[in-house]
Amino acid sequence: MDTDADTDADADADADAVRVLRGLEDSRSSVRLRAALAVGTAPDPRFVDRLVERCAIEPEFFVRDMLTWALTRHPVSMTLPALVREVRSERSQARSQALHTLSKIGDRRAWSAITRKLLSDVDTDVARSAWRAAVVLVPDGEEAGLAEVLATQLGRGERETQLSLSRALVALGDVVEPAMRAAATASDPYVCAHALATQRLLRDPDAGFEFAIGEARRVMALGGSGQEGR
């Protein structure tokens, strides 16, 4: 048994791990990207915590996306607990990226981490990540309850944010109809228009959000509710 060779191999592996981890901290985004790719290509349990930590502070979107990919390459038994802890972080980017990664992993055991607080997070990026993750992780039979919570966010933000919410609701299917009908009678015109546009997309996903929101506003301008003839 060649113990010296084994020791040398372990030392080389440790040295490689150190180089990769240093690469994740490099000031050059191209180096960080290559390091994240290397971690995902050769998964190592020692990298999980550092990957999660880096997600919270990485400034470049494409590097964060590679970090998420690298995490999906590791065993769920290791990544899930770390990511669930991270969604409770005080740092908004940490919450957002952890939610994004959970949506990519798609393990429904993470559902309990998707709280109402996250779904209505004051940080729009966090809320949008929570909406996407919730639709992926929601257990069978709980879609209607999720739709009711998501409906409380109708009318929020600019077009991009509203489109994200509509897409999440449409992904839940016809189960969202009661919540959308109720929201379509809201006194807030932004909530009402957003609900009507979401109903339009639910009936015709190819309509496009701009067309749907424009149609909703025309209906409101004419004094209708969008429910006529239904």
Side-chain angles (χ1 to χ4, degrees), residues 53-66:
E53 291 170 5
R54 186 65 204 177
C55 282
I57 59 174
E58 172 55 51
E60 298 291 343
F61 169 80
F62 59 92
V63 179
R64 292 199 302 273
D65 221 34
M66 187 65 77

Side-chain angles (χ1 to χ4, degrees), residues 17 29 31 35 38 53 61 64 66 70 75 84 94 106 116 155 168 172-173 175 181 188 223:
S29 60
V31 175
E53 291 170 5
F61 169 80
R64 292 199 302 273
M66 187 65 77
V84 167
R116 180 183 287 264
L172 291 174
V175 71
R181 284 197 297 270
D188 186 327

